[in-house]
Amino acid sequence: HARRTHLRNAQTPMKKLVVLGAGESGVGGALLGRKHGYDVFVSDFGPVSDKYRRILTEASIAFEENTHTFSRILDADVVVKSPGIANTVPVVQAVLEEGIELISEIEFAARFTNAKIVGITGTNGKTTTTLLTHHILKNAGLNVGLAGNVGHSFAAQVAEKDFDYYVLEISSFQLDDITSFRPDVAVILNITADHLDRYNNDIYTYAGAKFRITENQTEDDFFLYNADDPIIANLMNRRRTEAQKKAFS
């Protein structure tokens, strides 16, 4: 369908961006924030690896490790949270209580690209399917990036590259913190019991997180799903999507 002419939900950059977690996704979010004029601060409750310490230092991005300075974090206009950090930890609870916008790196990065996005989620097979899809598109001659849970951070690539397409492997943890993220093509491969400790030991709460991949799609977009998966079949009757639905078996 027609290529979008405006940035996906792009907004005037807020002044202060705090990134929780100084891993691949967090540092990528920090680099993208710096590029778009944010005052960026990265906070990691553990140690920062030499690789990411060097990247942050070279980009002149302020960071702290082995602690969270609440006063500085709660001064943010927007907080980008790394997917490994649960919403139940004290610093995230404090951010939520203050009413500060809390989003994932996937959500943040999508606001600054016009590229078409193929988002792939599911319990098993995400990496294989993402790599295969990227391989097919690249071999077809498209200018395509590979990101998400595999390869480099989506935000870092949006900051540093100029791809026309992205194939993203997306976890339920990343989908927990989206608000407007809208892939052109969304895929749910399957749903089996996994990571249930983050979802009140309820597989339907976990499955609901997966289904967030399609919640912002429109009739111009496509939603591919596994017709043989009983949990997906159940949720197809309970969750609405405006996307064009395509089943596989």
Side-chain angles (χ1 to χ4, degrees), residues 1-2 4 8-9 180-186 212-223 240-245:
H1 56 275
R4 293 186 177 93
R8 191 186 265 100
N9 299 303
S180 59
F181 174 71
R182 173 193 160 199
D184 298 85
V185 180
R212 296 199 71 196
I213 198 169
T214 188
E215 71 179 15
N216 297 315
Q217 288 190 296
T218 72
E219 60 190 12
D220 294 326
D221 304 317
F222 293 89
F223 175 44
R240 286 191 55 138
T241 176
E242 300 298 322
Q244 300 176 54
K245 294 184 283 292

Side-chain angles (χ1 to χ4, degrees), residues 43-92:
S43 178
D44 198 309
F45 200 63
V48 178
S49 73
D50 291 341
K51 172 185 175 182
Y52 296 123
R53 180 192 303 275
R54 184 173 65 255
I55 292 171
L56 291 169
T57 301
E58 289 175 356
S60 299
I61 294 172
F63 68 94
E64 66 179 359
E65 57 185 326
N66 301 311
T67 190
H68 287 314
T69 302
F70 276 52
S71 59
R72 191 160 185 183
I73 293 167
L74 298 181
D75 194 36
D77 294 299
V78 60
V79 173
V80 170
K81 177 174 75 67
S82 296
I85 302 172
N87 280 356
T88 53
V89 304
V91 67
V92 177

Side-chain angles (χ1 to χ4, degrees), residues 31-191:
L31 292 171
L32 181 61
R34 169 54 56 88
K35 178 179 179 180
H36 286 278
Y38 286 82
D39 177 8
V40 183
F41 178 62
V42 179
S43 178
D44 198 309
F45 200 63
V48 178
S49 73
D50 291 341
K51 172 185 175 182
Y52 296 123
R53 180 192 303 275
R54 184 173 65 255
I55 292 171
L56 291 169
T57 301
E58 289 175 356
S60 299
I61 294 172
F63 68 94
E64 66 179 359
E65 57 185 326
N66 301 311
T67 190
H68 287 314
T69 302
F70 276 52
S71 59
R72 191 160 185 183
I73 293 167
L74 298 181
D75 194 36
D77 294 299
V78 60
V79 173
V80 170
K81 177 174 75 67
S82 296
I85 302 172
N87 280 356
T88 53
V89 304
V91 67
V92 177
Q93 285 294 303
V95 168
L96 293 171
E97 287 169 10
E98 286 292 318
I100 300 167
E101 184 180 25
L102 178 75
I103 57 175
S104 66
E105 174 238 353
I106 294 290
E107 169 72 29
F108 187 61
R111 296 178 180 184
F112 296 100
T113 178
N114 270 327
K116 290 187 181 298
I117 295 172
V118 179
I120 298 170
T121 195
T123 307
N124 311 108
K126 291 190 298 296
T127 301
T128 302
T129 306
T130 301
L131 290 170
L132 269 172
T133 305
H134 175 260
H135 178 77
I136 290 167
L137 296 181
K138 188 175 180 180
N139 277 22
L142 299 180
N143 178 31
V144 56
L146 174 73
N149 264 6
V150 61
H152 295 297
S153 135
F154 180 32
Q157 291 190 48
V158 170
E160 298 167 355
K161 308 288 185 181
D162 190 25
F163 289 117
D164 298 318
Y165 298 82
Y166 284 97
V167 183
L168 305 180
E169 176 187 333
I170 308 176
S171 71
S172 57
F173 297 163
Q174 291 167 313
L175 291 167
D176 282 334
D177 298 304
I178 65 166
T179 54
S180 59
F181 174 71
R182 173 193 160 199
D184 298 85
V185 180
V187 183
I188 298 184
L189 300 173
N190 55 20
I191 297 173

